[in-house]
Amino acid sequence: MQVQLLVTRTDFSTANLDQEFRDLGVSYELLYIEDHPDLVAAHGIQHSPCILVNGRLAFREQPTENQLREYFSRLGQ
């Protein structure tokens, strides 16, 4: 499973999301929106943070740890 966290360089949620992913044992790749205009255009991203899972936009906002837990449990993670 490929998980990508897309954030702006000034997004204050990054540390919190990092902790939530670590708590859940989910590996992810950190991508800065400024460096990936192709992903921004392809997914209609207008703000940060966004989370892609297997190339699909899963969250357009900062999810809670419980929302992440539910999402990944449905995927069998």
Side-chain angles (χ1 to χ4, degrees), residues 12-77:
F12 293 106
S13 67
T14 305
N16 187 28
L17 284 166
D18 176 68
Q19 183 63 51
E20 291 175 359
F21 281 127
R22 280 191 284 142
D23 288 349
L24 297 172
V26 173
S27 298
Y28 72 95
E29 178 182 12
L30 179 64
L31 301 175
Y32 293 108
I33 286 174
E34 297 89 344
D35 297 335
H36 296 279
D38 54 326
L39 290 176
V40 170
H43 297 285
I45 294 171
Q46 297 179 0
H47 55 82
S48 173
C50 289
I51 299 172
L52 298 176
V53 178
N54 297 330
R56 294 184 164 193
L57 187 61
F59 294 94
R60 285 191 181 271
E61 73 283 332
Q62 181 179 352
T64 65
E65 190 169 327
N66 284 336
Q67 288 172 314
L68 287 171
R69 182 176 288 110
E70 288 175 21
Y71 181 85
F72 289 116
S73 70
R74 288 194 306 265
L75 292 180
Q77 173 63 20

